[in-house]
Each structure stands twice: as C-alpha cells, then as structure tokens.
Amino acid sequence: MSDRLQGWTAQLKERHIFRTAVLYIGGAWIVAQVGDFTIQNYEVDRRYLDVVLYLLTVGLPVTLIIAWHHGPKGTQKVKRSEAALLATLGVVAAVGSVLLLGRASRAQERAAILLPATTTDLGEGSVAILPLSNNTGADSLDWLGTGLADMLTTNLAQIPTVRVVGVERLLDLMRRAGTEESDRIPEQLALNIASASGARTLVRGAIAGGGSRLRMDLRLIDLGNGTILAAEQATGEDVFALVDELSRRLSPRLVGGAVQPTELTPVAQLATGSLEAFREYREGIQAERRFLPEEAEEHFRRAVQIDSTFAVAWLRLGLNLFQQQNVAEASEAMAQAERFIEGTSERDRLMIEALLAYIGFDVQAAEAKFDELIARYPDDREARTWLAIVYGQSDRQEDRRRTLEDIIRLDPFYAPAYNELAYISAYAGDSAAADSLSLRYLELEPGQANPYDSRGEILELTGRQEEGREAFREAVMVDKGFTVGYMHLARSYFRAGDMPGARAELATFLATDDPDASVWVRLLSADAYVAEGRYLDGLEGYRQAAERASELERADLRLIALLDVGHLAVALQDFERARASYDEVRTMDPYSQEAFFGSFRTMGIQGQVEQMRATREAVAGNLSWVPESFREIARTSLLFTDGLIAFYEGDPELSVELMEESRRGFGMQYIFREEIEALISIGRAEDALHRVRRMSGALAIRSSARVLPLVQHGRVYWSARASEGAGDTEAAIDGYDRLHRIAGDGLRLISWMADTEERLERMRQAEGS
C-alpha cells in the first residue's frame, strides 16, 4: 500500500500537478480581482463576473486533467477517456454560463414589465438620484448608498429651477421592479426606473475606498438617449464635503448655467454635521416605512443624542411620540425641532412649521403650510399624505380622497396611499374597491407585515371575519416582531366573544424569541382574562408581562405592562400596588401622562384632595420647557386637573365647567369616568351619553389596534348609567344586562361597576310593577 502511494506521489510530482494547481489558483485570483475592480468602477454588469468565476471554477479540473495526461516529457496523444472528461466539462461550462446569463436577463425583463409605460414629464432641470453602490467592501457602509443619495437630493433641491425626484420615490419604484435598494442595479433597469419617475436626467454613482478616506464617483446621464452628460469624482475624509463638492460641479449641467454660491448651503448645515447621527436618522426612516414605531423611536433618540441640533430628527421623534400618545415628551421634542429650525433645508423648515401647527390644533395654519410645501415640492408625497390626514380630521373626506388619488397619479407605486384609500372605501361600504385597493397595497409591499395586517382589517370591515383573522396570522408570521398584528389577532377573538380561543391562539407565540412579541402576547392574554371578568387573573397576567420585560431588560415594554397593572389595580382598589406601579413608570418616564393622571386620580379616589392640589401646583410650576406653541395645550390640561379636583371635592357643576373649558381649548382629549358621573349627577345625562359614545376611555388607549377590555366594560356601564339618568329604561336594562353577561360576578370587584347587578334588578322590578 505504501509503495502504491509513493508511486502516485511520484507521478503527481513528475507531471507537476501540485505546481500547476497553485499557479492556476493564483492566476484565477488575480483575474477575479481585476474583474471585481472593473465592475465596481466601470458599471459593468455583475452577471459577467459571475460567469467568469464559474468558468474559472470549472477550469481547474480541466487544467489538472490536461496536466495529468500531458505532464510527462515527450509527445502524448489525447486518449478517449481524457477527451470524454474534457467534453463533459466543456458542456458543463457552456450550460452553466448560459443559465447564469439567462437568469439575469429574464429578471431584468420581468422587472421592466412592472414599470409604468408613461409618466408625467417633469421638464428641464429635473433629475432622479438613485442610491449609490457601495464598492468599499464594508457591509457596515451599505446604508451610506441611500444616505448619500438623500444628501444629494437635499443639496440640489435648494436650487429653485431644479426638480429633484427624491430617493424614497425611486426606492419604491425599485422595489416594484423586484430590486432591493442594497442590490446592484443593472444599467438598463436603472434607466427604466429613472425614466418612470418623469425626470429627464439621472445621477448614478458609487462609493469606494476604505478607512477614513472615501471616493465618490457620479455620472449625470441623459435619460432621453442614455449618454453621459458629466462624470465627476471627489476624494476625501469628510462625506458631507464630498457631497457639497460634487453638487457644485453637477448643478451647472442641470440648470444650463452658473449656480450662485448662495443657492447651495452646505449639506451639513441643512441636516447634521455627524455622519453617525445621519445614519441613525436613516435607520429610523426605514423602521417607519416598515411600521415599526418602537424601533424607529430608538434610532431617532440616538440621532438627537449624537447631535442635539438635528432638527428634522427631533421632528421625527416628536411625531413618533405623538402617535404613541406621549404628548408631554413629544411636545418637548417638537420644541427642539422648532428651536433649531433655522439650520434646516426649506423643505424641512416648512414641514416642521406645518406639523407644529397641526399638533397645536391650528388646522388652517397647518393646511396653509402643507399647501406651500407642496407648491414648492410637488413630488413630496409625505406632505400630501399629511394634508390628507388634516382633511380627514376636519371631516373633509372628499378632499382627503382627492389628495390621496393625486399622490397615486404622481406616483402609481406609492403604497401608503392605496392603503388609506382601501380604508376609506371600506368605511364607505364599497367592499369591491376596498378589496381591490388592499390587494394592490399587498402587491406593492411584498414581504412586509403591515399590508397583511391592513388587509385583515379591510376584510373584517367588509364582513369576511375568518379571512381577516388568517391575514393577521400571516402578518405575524412574516414579522414576528410586528406587535400590531398580535393585537388585531386577539381583537378578532374578542369581537367574537371567544376569550379562551384568543388565549389558545396567543399561547402558540409564547415561546417566540422576539422580545416585543413575548411581552405583548402575555399582555393580550391578560386582556382576554379581563374581557370575561376574570380581573384578578388579568392583573396577574399584566404582572407576569412586566416581569418578562424585566428579564429581557426592556424598560420600554415594562413601562407598558406597569401602566396596565396600575390601571386595573386602581379599579380593584389595590391602591398600594397601583401607586407603586405609577411611581415606577414616572421614574422611567417623567413625562408619562398616563402615570400622572393615574396617580392623580388615585389620590382623588382615596380622598387625598390636598395632595392633588400640591401635585397640580408642582406641575404648573415646572412648565418652563413647554414651547410657546404648546402653552395653550398645557394651560387647558391643567384646567382638566382642576376639574378632577373639583369633582373629588364634591362640586360636580364646577368640575363639568372646568372640564368643558379644557375641551374648548383642545387641551385634553381623554374622557374620564369622573366627567361622565359629574354630568349625570347635575342632570345632563344626554350630554353624558354623547360623551360616552366618543369616549376614548377612563384609561388612555395607547393604540387603537389594542382593545382594552376594562375600558370597554366602562363604556357599557356608563352608557347604561347615562341612559338610566335620561329615562331610557330599556336601553339602561339592556346595557346592565349585557355587561353582567360579559363580566359576571367579577363586576363586584370593580369599585365603580360593583352596583351593576343591584341597578339591573331594581330597574327590572320597577319595569315589572
């Protein structure tokens, strides 16, 4: 055996097999590096490098076979076995090459079909800016391709005669064409995407280099004939300076003449001078697009921690917090955006001013600012989307619909507009349109959770309950961390009165490794206990959710669970537990309105009116941080606390007067049970009933996706109480009876609903007599 092995080794050496393999691999590596450099720097199609690498791989056995048969000295003939092997490898090389080239070609052909055939011509000076390719070899810089495109967009948009198609719109077109933003975009597909946007020119580019020194290469392409109008390159350590330099060089080619220096404010002055802050901001924007508000909030917070003057990041953080009903902290964030507004681009300045007016309840001023923004930037879909929201909240539904349809005419691939129109159609009773629009949204955002979730809601609204539930399941399967999907899934069972079914469904997700989901399924399971009157089990469930959040070291999730513990503990008159929960929340989040009002009302229930007054005065003396535009909101919110104090002092008339004055100032959007009870006690039961019908709850609702059962029970109870006070005995009996069937004997544990059975019995006896 040893002799045979030595013989093989001797033959391998004689035929130079080892040396041939080493030389071949070394040569192949050099060819691959040259090919990769060519593709990265000269925009050669990536598929050609794939073919070269494939042929080099097949070529290694070919080379070794030839070396084996023809390595010895002297003349050798091609043997039949050698010819068969070489022929087989030749076929493998040919077939593989054709498949690689064909696969790329077919993908491009499919993508082109999905793009619009015609679009609006944006005219001279219009330019589309695609994300730059990352040729640095560092995956950590992938985000910079889109980020640099954003910077170029911001910079060139300053020039009045230039129409820039923003990167977000082009990213939508890219996704519609089946191309992710991190992919390399073939030349023809890039031209198709840019042409579909309506622009006449296209900026394509790449970043290369390494370490602290980067190189940016940009080409300005005429979309009419595909010719290169300009090619510019800049190298340096300061990314913002590179963008400014290349913008300065390209802008004359866009406007057909010189651009004044005053028309190009340095991009770092328009956003942030910190590349890391800008990266966090970009990550936050992407999280928003995926409907992940908690993740977006984290990125925006980090952005403003890195650069405290980053106005547009403060704006995004403020909007995010407002959507989570964290009004106090949101107000502070918006105040910071207002403070640093002078250092922003015109577009961002107008957006900040419009949203400050909107949040300050000045609808007319908000509408005027959005109109001004749209007149200056007609392609700004976000501004039009916000204008549609303004119309919706002003009950101008036709204007809202028209605005959304305008967005789609501008950009047939803007998915959020289809989503909003689907809801509008569903609420209007147009099931066919709602179904079609929701499917279109799903088609435009493949692989995302929210389209499935929205479709589930549309299906529910149009009476297809089981299909809706299946869509919610699909949403959480697509993204285990999509917490709204779990809320809607649980809600579908709640509406059907199947609480055990809800818990059984949620139990399948208890072992998930997603931290958000693992806490939320526990919260929602606790909701299912509360929904059937098992309040003590629900309290324990909320406590377990808080503990789970602690295990995960997620203070944000623990805060949510602690608020649930506090609210239910107050209703159960477990004041010590409630106070401890609210105190911990306020330690974690000093701006929490829920914790403040929870603690405030707990004092009132216990008769601690003097302590309420002291707390109110302490808050009133600590409002120096409130910006001018929010002073009225703060003032009217304090009026509401005065109304609560008056209620617990036994003056319901003054209580109602103060609360109603607060509402006229739009300072308080919640409706607490104290207001309902005060209205009933002074003989205004009809007004109380009206309040109940639009009641957002004695406990603030953090998300419309989640059904808080205790709030729902309260609505039924106070509706029955108001009906009783208004003399509508039938409606009152129906309400009390329905509540008793839902919650049963558990109602006796809730302080303000404990008399449900007694009232029901008394009214039935009176009706019978």
Side-chain angles (χ1 to χ4, degrees), residues 549-769:
S550 292
E551 293 170 7
L552 297 168
E553 298 182 346
R554 288 291 301 273
D556 56 331
L557 296 175
R558 180 169 173 80
L559 185 148
I560 294 170
L562 285 172
L563 285 170
D564 289 327
V565 170
H567 297 331
L568 186 52
V570 169
L572 292 167
Q573 296 189 301
D574 186 349
F575 299 122
E576 184 176 347
R577 187 192 295 255
R579 186 166 49 253
S581 295
Y582 291 138
D583 287 348
E584 185 175 348
V585 170
R586 295 179 71 184
T587 299
M588 291 189 288
D589 180 8
Y591 301 103
S592 172
Q593 276 197 323
E594 282 194 69
F596 169 75
F597 278 108
S599 297
F600 199 72
R601 295 169 65 240
T602 301
M603 296 174 201
I605 294 169
Q606 294 180 280
Q608 300 169 348
V609 176
E610 288 306 315
Q611 191 173 344
M612 292 178 77
R613 287 190 178 281
T615 302
R616 187 264 187 212
E617 293 307 315
V619 171
N622 191 34
L623 294 178
S624 58
W625 57 269
V626 177
E628 188 63 37
S629 55
F630 293 99
R631 292 287 165 84
E632 182 65 13
I633 295 176
R635 187 187 72 81
T636 53
S637 294
L638 284 173
L639 273 176
F640 203 89
T641 64
D642 291 337
L644 288 172
I645 291 172
F647 175 85
Y648 284 107
E649 282 184 324
D651 191 342
E653 289 193 10
L654 178 59
S655 177
V656 169
E657 180 183 335
L658 291 168
M659 290 180 183
E660 288 186 335
E661 185 179 349
S662 173
R663 294 198 184 288
R664 284 193 292 273
F666 298 101
M668 176 53 61
Q669 297 303 298
Y670 305 132
I671 301 174
F672 292 140
R673 67 173 181 82
E674 288 87 348
E675 182 177 9
I676 307 299
E677 189 170 347
L679 283 166
I680 294 171
S681 69
I682 63 173
R684 292 175 54 184
E686 290 288 350
D687 290 336
L689 191 58
H690 177 68
R691 290 275 200 280
V692 172
R693 286 171 180 160
R694 51 187 288 269
M695 186 179 184
S696 62
L699 312 179
I701 297 178
R702 289 179 294 279
S703 169
S704 60
R706 183 185 180 192
V707 175
L708 290 177
L710 188 60
V711 173
Q712 303 303 319
H713 294 177
R715 284 175 173 164
V716 176
Y717 176 81
W718 289 107
S719 179
R721 280 283 306 272
S723 297
E724 181 182 352
D728 189 346
T729 303
E730 184 178 352
I733 289 176
D734 180 66
Y736 291 135
D737 182 57
R738 182 154 55 97
L739 182 58
H740 189 262
R741 281 188 279 107
I742 291 171
D745 293 340
L747 292 170
R748 298 172 186 171
L749 299 174
I750 305 298
S751 56
W752 41 274
M753 293 192 295
D755 61 352
T756 299
E757 292 180 73
E758 179 187 337
R759 287 180 177 276
L760 177 60
E761 185 62 28
R762 186 172 64 243
M763 293 191 74
R764 279 177 171 166
Q765 288 177 359
E767 188 180 50
S769 63

Side-chain angles (χ1 to χ4, degrees), residues 310-331:
F310 196 172
V312 71
W314 280 114
L315 173 70
R316 292 287 183 178
L317 177 60
L319 290 175
N320 182 285
L321 293 168
F322 266 111
Q323 289 166 358
Q324 298 181 55
Q325 299 195 19
N326 187 345
V327 178
E329 194 175 3
S331 300

Side-chain angles (χ1 to χ4, degrees), residues 488-501:
H488 283 149
L489 187 56
R491 188 182 67 184
S492 71
Y493 284 97
F494 291 178
R495 287 177 171 172
D498 184 5
M499 310 312 162

